[in-house]
Amino acid sequence: MAPTLQECMDNLVDVFHSYSKKCGDKYTLNYTELVILINNELSAYLGTKKNPRRVSEIMAKMDKNKDGKVDFREFVAIIADLTAACHDFFEQTDKILG
């Protein structure tokens, strides 16, 4: 059975905090925590293991207030953008293969 939207939201919060609590402020991701999160959770989508500089680019996009950390709102915004991009990709693939 597919997870509910509420379960997905709970999982998103849980994933963020499982990395943000590793060191420093438990409510934000520092660069090191972000690297670990991206490499563990998103490398298939973002290709960061093949291109480590990609994480710096992602951090710059996520850190909207330029404080050197990513808070949950900044994190969710980029996850939403990535999710929309995945949806667009799958929709286009479906139309091509359709």
Side-chain angles (χ1 to χ4, degrees), residues 75-91:
F75 174 75
V76 170
I78 200 78
I79 295 301
D81 288 345
L82 179 59
T83 303
C86 288
H87 177 269
D88 293 346
F89 172 80
F90 293 128
E91 186 176 291

Side-chain angles (χ1 to χ4, degrees), residues 52-71:
R53 291 188 320 168
R54 183 83 175 108
V55 177
S56 294
E57 296 167 5
I58 294 166
M59 176 73 162
K61 287 182 182 179
M62 289 177 119
D63 185 14
K64 298 292 185 192
N65 63 1
K66 306 299 179 207
D67 65 354
K69 299 178 278 187
V70 174
D71 64 29

